[in-house]
Amino acid sequence: MFVIDLQSYLHRSDSVEIINGGSGIRVVQRGEEIDIELYTDMMRKQKSRKGHEVMLTRVSKCSFVLEGDILTIRTKFSTGNIEEAEYVFTKPSG
């Protein structure tokens, strides 16, 4: 579910930037800022830096790397399992 949610935020976003030393990203869509970041032992989503919504639990470490239009996410879970995924982020046309 986290993968699908994240892809929906990246799709047609105006901009994506790395925040918190690589443990999060800030996505801007139609002027609204959405932060997706590691917070204690979970990945959370915040809109306009207010409140938060849990997206993924039992996370011990997460890193985001942005190279061009490719975002790579590496997540280590509390079980020791490591997952890595790549996303292509596309800016809206016109």
Side-chain angles (χ1 to χ4, degrees):
M1 196 65 156
F2 175 73
V3 172
I4 294 167
D5 280 351
L6 185 57
Q7 184 66 47
S8 72
Y9 289 109
L10 294 174
H11 181 67
R12 299 179 56 80
S13 60
D14 298 323
S15 68
V16 175
E17 69 178 283
I18 303 296
I19 60 171
N20 301 338
S23 67
I25 58 170
R26 176 166 295 135
V27 178
V28 178
Q29 285 183 331
R30 295 178 297 278
E32 181 176 55
E33 287 185 353
I34 300 162
D35 292 351
I36 298 170
E37 61 190 346
L38 180 64
Y39 179 74
T40 61
D41 63 346
M42 69 180 102
M43 295 303 296
R44 73 173 180 182
K45 172 180 68 178
Q46 278 189 310
K47 289 186 179 180
S48 302
R49 299 184 190 128
K50 296 178 184 166
H52 76 261
E53 181 180 320
V54 175
M55 296 180 75
L56 187 64
T57 59
R58 299 183 186 145
V59 176
S60 63
K61 187 174 182 180
C62 188
S63 65
F64 293 84
V65 176
L66 183 60
E67 293 177 338
D69 60 355
I70 305 287
L71 177 68
T72 305
I73 303 168
R74 184 175 170 93
T75 305
K76 183 175 181 182
F77 293 90
S78 57
T79 61
N81 291 347
I82 296 173
E83 298 285 334
E84 187 169 299
E86 282 190 352
Y87 298 88
V88 176
F89 112 81
T90 54
K91 292 181 181 180
S93 57

